[in-house]
Amino acid sequence: MAFNYHIATLLVLLLVNSTGGALVQQQPLVLKYHNGQLLKGRITVNLLWYGTFTPIQRSIIVDFINSLSSGGPPQPSAASWWKTTENYKGGGSSALLVGKQILHPAYSLGKYLKSTHLLSLASSFNDVSAINVILTAKDVSVDGFCSSRCGTHGSTRSVNGKARTAYVWVGNSETQCPGQCAWPFHQPIYGPQTPPLVAPNGDVGVDGMIINLATLLAGTVTNPFNNGYFQGPATAPLEAVSACTGVFGTGAYPGYPGRVLVEKTTGASYNANGVNGRKFLLPAMWDPVTSACKTLV
């Protein structure tokens, strides 16, 4: 079973307030815990780069993952954003650490991938306890990409069927659907046409990938095998971050990401500091303590 990060969720949020009317008072948001396993402790994140990525693009994503467990950067930090996952049942941290990286620059499976291809690529790592992440380049089409999803997470089974390994897939939407999968760094296809924000790392596609990767990593550690935290049907669950889609700062409403920080020299928008001086824009995450979507700023 794979859990897609649906663009439909974002489109609904963008459309709801497109008339500019007053927002309806929201009911408390509750993600039910379904008594299943969560991913806790030190977790290796293996990366498979499918297609062409520049060294700078790869370093942005590696720095983001390493930022989630680094106490060094100033507040607000990516690590403080990730720390909310500790509030999910059982307590304890989920410390992510980049492990092996495999480059697939030759497009060995072609430039159109089906879900079965993603499963095959996710099985490239012989590491049962890791999260295996597949990242597809901007010229790679994936079944359902842009039309119904910006990425997905799920699990693969070992040969004997006993062990399950979590995986994540995220695509670079820069040339295919930035209005759907790289908002708010590109104007949305539907809803209010507010000016796009300036991407903090100067790459609309990769900065959009960071938002979707953050969403799916949070969903993976809190609902890795379809029996953790989620709301709604198990086949299309709202998870830790996807339940808060479109919210990046205080005062957010459909079509407006909220008040975020702006870098003075570049004009780039961000809300989280990371390692190596990186800045990221991270979406709100549902906090079980307050039953509300929590933003960094």
Side-chain angles (χ1 to χ4, degrees), residues 31 60 67 71 75 99 108 117 126 136 145 160 168 201 203 216 219 222 241 251 254 269 283 292:
L31 301 191
I60 294 169
S67 295
Q75 297 296 329
S108 54
H117 292 134
N126 187 23
T136 50
F145 187 41
N160 61 17
V168 169
N201 295 287
D203 190 318
L216 291 162
T222 59
V241 176
S269 294

Short mmCIF file of all heavy atoms in Angstrom, two decimals, residues 31 60 67 71 75 99 108 117 126 136 145 160 168 201 203 216 219 222 241 251 254 269 283 292:
data_model
loop_
_atom_site.label_atom_id
_atom_site.label_comp_id
_atom_site.label_asym_id
_atom_site.label_seq_id
_atom_site.Cartn_x
_atom_site.Cartn_y
_atom_site.Cartn_z
N LEU A 31 -5.99 13.45 14.14
CA LEU A 31 -5.49 12.29 13.42
C LEU A 31 -5.56 11.11 14.37
O LEU A 31 -4.91 11.11 15.42
CB LEU A 31 -4.05 12.51 12.95
CG LEU A 31 -3.77 13.69 12.02
CD1 LEU A 31 -2.37 13.57 11.44
CD2 LEU A 31 -4.79 13.78 10.91
N ILE A 60 21.54 20.24 -1.76
CA ILE A 60 20.41 20.91 -1.09
C ILE A 60 19.56 19.88 -0.36
O ILE A 60 19.18 20.07 0.80
CB ILE A 60 19.55 21.68 -2.12
CG1 ILE A 60 20.34 22.85 -2.72
CG2 ILE A 60 18.26 22.19 -1.47
CD1 ILE A 60 19.65 23.49 -3.93
N SER A 67 19.68 18.28 8.23
CA SER A 67 19.24 19.38 9.09
C SER A 67 18.17 18.94 10.09
O SER A 67 18.02 19.56 11.15
CB SER A 67 18.69 20.54 8.25
OG SER A 67 19.69 21.11 7.44
N GLY A 71 21.35 20.00 15.82
CA GLY A 71 21.04 21.04 16.80
C GLY A 71 21.81 22.32 16.59
O GLY A 71 21.69 23.27 17.35
N GLN A 75 17.49 29.11 15.55
CA GLN A 75 16.04 28.99 15.45
C GLN A 75 15.49 30.11 14.56
O GLN A 75 16.07 31.17 14.48
CB GLN A 75 15.42 29.09 16.85
CG GLN A 75 15.82 27.98 17.78
CD GLN A 75 15.34 26.62 17.31
OE1 GLN A 75 14.30 26.50 16.65
NE2 GLN A 75 16.09 25.58 17.64
N GLY A 99 22.33 7.95 4.45
CA GLY A 99 23.18 6.77 4.34
C GLY A 99 23.76 6.64 2.95
O GLY A 99 24.47 7.52 2.46
N SER A 108 17.99 4.10 -16.58
CA SER A 108 18.03 2.68 -16.92
C SER A 108 16.65 2.06 -17.15
O SER A 108 16.53 1.06 -17.85
CB SER A 108 18.76 1.90 -15.81
OG SER A 108 18.17 2.17 -14.55
N HIS A 117 7.94 0.23 -11.08
CA HIS A 117 9.33 0.65 -11.21
C HIS A 117 9.83 1.29 -9.92
O HIS A 117 10.98 1.08 -9.52
CB HIS A 117 9.48 1.65 -12.37
CG HIS A 117 9.26 1.05 -13.72
ND1 HIS A 117 8.49 1.65 -14.69
CD2 HIS A 117 9.70 -0.11 -14.27
CE1 HIS A 117 8.49 0.92 -15.78
NE2 HIS A 117 9.21 -0.17 -15.55
N ASN A 126 19.87 -2.91 0.24
CA ASN A 126 19.67 -4.08 1.11
C ASN A 126 19.75 -3.63 2.56
O ASN A 126 20.67 -3.96 3.30
CB ASN A 126 20.74 -5.14 0.81
CG ASN A 126 20.48 -6.44 1.56
OD1 ASN A 126 19.35 -6.72 1.95
ND2 ASN A 126 21.53 -7.22 1.75
N THR A 136 13.19 11.59 -8.55
CA THR A 136 13.21 11.57 -10.01
C THR A 136 13.43 12.97 -10.56
O THR A 136 12.89 13.95 -10.05
CB THR A 136 11.91 10.97 -10.58
OG1 THR A 136 10.77 11.59 -9.98
CG2 THR A 136 11.85 9.48 -10.31
N PHE A 145 2.01 11.33 -11.55
CA PHE A 145 2.71 12.57 -11.19
C PHE A 145 2.02 13.75 -11.88
O PHE A 145 1.70 13.70 -13.05
CB PHE A 145 4.17 12.48 -11.63
CG PHE A 145 5.04 13.63 -11.17
CD1 PHE A 145 4.92 14.14 -9.90
CD2 PHE A 145 6.01 14.16 -12.02
CE1 PHE A 145 5.74 15.19 -9.46
CE2 PHE A 145 6.83 15.19 -11.60
CZ PHE A 145 6.69 15.71 -10.31
N ASN A 160 11.24 -13.08 2.16
CA ASN A 160 10.44 -14.03 2.96
C ASN A 160 9.11 -13.42 3.41
O ASN A 160 8.31 -14.10 4.06
CB ASN A 160 11.23 -14.52 4.17
CG ASN A 160 11.64 -13.39 5.11
OD1 ASN A 160 11.09 -12.29 5.06
ND2 ASN A 160 12.61 -13.67 5.98
N VAL A 168 10.05 6.23 0.03
CA VAL A 168 9.44 7.51 -0.36
C VAL A 168 9.84 7.79 -1.80
O VAL A 168 10.96 7.49 -2.21
CB VAL A 168 9.94 8.65 0.55
CG1 VAL A 168 9.52 10.02 0.00
CG2 VAL A 168 9.43 8.49 1.98
N ASN A 201 16.54 28.34 -1.99
CA ASN A 201 17.80 27.83 -2.53
C ASN A 201 17.95 28.11 -4.02
O ASN A 201 18.80 27.52 -4.70
CB ASN A 201 17.92 26.33 -2.24
CG ASN A 201 18.01 26.05 -0.74
OD1 ASN A 201 19.04 26.30 -0.12
ND2 ASN A 201 16.93 25.56 -0.15
N ASP A 203 16.09 27.39 -6.55
CA ASP A 203 15.73 26.31 -7.47
C ASP A 203 14.27 25.91 -7.20
O ASP A 203 13.99 25.19 -6.24
CB ASP A 203 16.66 25.11 -7.25
CG ASP A 203 16.51 24.04 -8.31
OD1 ASP A 203 15.38 23.71 -8.70
OD2 ASP A 203 17.54 23.49 -8.75
N LEU A 216 6.31 13.87 3.15
CA LEU A 216 6.30 12.41 3.07
C LEU A 216 7.18 11.75 4.12
O LEU A 216 6.86 10.66 4.59
CB LEU A 216 6.69 11.98 1.66
CG LEU A 216 5.62 12.33 0.62
CD1 LEU A 216 6.18 12.31 -0.79
CD2 LEU A 216 4.42 11.39 0.73
N GLY A 219 5.08 11.77 7.16
CA GLY A 219 4.05 10.74 7.03
C GLY A 219 4.63 9.35 7.20
O GLY A 219 3.98 8.46 7.76
N THR A 222 5.36 8.58 11.02
CA THR A 222 4.16 8.54 11.87
C THR A 222 3.08 7.60 11.34
O THR A 222 2.14 7.29 12.06
CB THR A 222 3.56 9.96 12.02
OG1 THR A 222 3.23 10.47 10.72
CG2 THR A 222 4.54 10.90 12.70
N VAL A 241 1.54 15.91 7.95
CA VAL A 241 1.68 17.19 7.25
C VAL A 241 0.63 17.37 6.17
O VAL A 241 0.15 18.48 5.95
CB VAL A 241 3.11 17.34 6.67
CG1 VAL A 241 3.23 18.62 5.86
CG2 VAL A 241 4.14 17.35 7.79
N GLY A 251 -1.36 33.08 10.00
CA GLY A 251 -2.25 33.87 9.15
C GLY A 251 -2.52 33.27 7.79
O GLY A 251 -3.11 33.92 6.92
N PRO A 254 -6.41 29.70 2.39
CA PRO A 254 -6.28 29.08 1.07
C PRO A 254 -5.79 30.06 0.01
O PRO A 254 -6.38 31.11 -0.23
CB PRO A 254 -7.70 28.59 0.78
CG PRO A 254 -8.24 28.27 2.14
CD PRO A 254 -7.69 29.35 3.04
N SER A 269 11.98 33.51 0.50
CA SER A 269 11.11 33.21 1.64
C SER A 269 11.50 31.89 2.27
O SER A 269 11.79 30.91 1.58
CB SER A 269 9.65 33.14 1.18
OG SER A 269 9.20 34.41 0.74
N PRO A 283 6.34 23.02 5.55
CA PRO A 283 4.90 23.12 5.81
C PRO A 283 4.55 22.85 7.26
O PRO A 283 5.33 22.27 8.01
CB PRO A 283 4.30 22.04 4.89
CG PRO A 283 5.41 21.03 4.76
CD PRO A 283 6.69 21.80 4.80
N ALA A 292 -3.60 20.62 16.59
CA ALA A 292 -3.64 21.73 15.63
C ALA A 292 -2.41 21.67 14.73
O ALA A 292 -1.40 21.07 15.07
CB ALA A 292 -3.68 23.06 16.37
#
